Amino acid sequence: GSTFIERLYQAGITGGCDTSPLIYCPNTNVTRAQMAIFILRGIHGAAYIPPAATGTVFTDVPVGSFGAAYIEQLKLEGVTSGCTATTYCPNTPITRGQMAVFLLRGKHGSAYVPPAATGTVFTDVTLSTPYAAWIEQLNLEGITSGCTATTYCPGSPVTRAQMAIMIVRAFNLP
């Protein structure tokens, strides 16, 4: 896992969770606000800076809040529609199921729709599991192999260590 974290850092996608000393916090959950930043940097490169936030896109993302410009840009690019019609839930940990959608739309574009789910890839991802098709496609593309050999844990939060692996693989970072 540490090589993926180092690759993410070298690519400029993350500066870690603290700088003195430089640490990554691999077991800390990734929030939806942090994920917006990671995905857009994955798409556009480490130097990417989105247009200033307006504060009018989501009711829970005011101007000046952490990641606001990235969150609004993520919606503008069609990667997310939020957690409800009017909110983004920026401080909520992103789940492994939601992460599948973010990564695949980030990689393939906002119009991307994965093939229908089979319900046979992971024992805990059935045809009725939210994001099942996205999860199976993420596995098919080699971006994730799940949380165990046979399960994906779709409702579990994504840790910074897991996120590093998936971002590096999804965006083919060096």
Side-chain angles (χ1 to χ4, degrees):
S2 67
T3 54
F4 284 100
I5 292 167
E6 288 162 15
R7 286 163 69 183
L8 198 70
Y9 178 76
Q10 294 300 328
I13 307 295
T14 184
C17 62
D18 203 346
T19 53
S20 187
L22 180 61
I23 53 175
Y24 183 72
C25 306
N27 300 318
T28 302
N29 293 337
V30 177
T31 66
R32 290 174 53 88
Q34 292 166 338
M35 197 65 236
I37 298 168
F38 294 139
I39 292 286
L40 285 171
R41 286 182 180 164
I43 295 169
H44 300 294
Y48 177 73
I49 299 173
T54 64
T56 60
V57 177
F58 293 111
T59 57
D60 60 350
V61 182
V63 170
S65 61
F66 177 79
Y70 288 89
I71 293 166
E72 290 186 8
Q73 187 64 25
L74 202 67
K75 176 160 172 52
L76 188 68
E77 293 190 21
V79 176
T80 185
S81 51
C83 60
T84 72
T86 59
T87 61
Y88 182 75
C89 305
N91 301 319
T92 304
I94 191 164
T95 67
R96 291 174 54 86
Q98 294 165 348
M99 175 79 167
V101 180
F102 277 50
L103 284 168
L104 289 171
R105 282 195 185 140
K107 180 179 179 181
H108 299 297
S110 62
Y112 178 76
V113 178
T118 64
T120 60
V121 178
F122 295 108
T123 57
D124 62 347
V125 179
T126 65
L127 292 177
S128 62
T129 302
Y131 318 114
W134 299 89
I135 293 165
E136 290 186 6
Q137 185 64 26
L138 204 66
N139 176 259
L140 187 68
E141 293 190 24
I143 296 169
T144 184
S145 50
C147 58
T148 72
T150 58
T151 60
Y152 182 76
C153 306
S156 296
V158 176
T159 66
R160 287 173 58 88
Q162 294 165 346
M163 185 274 307
I165 295 168
M166 291 188 261
I167 292 276
V168 166
R169 287 180 176 160
F171 298 105
N172 297 314
L173 300 177

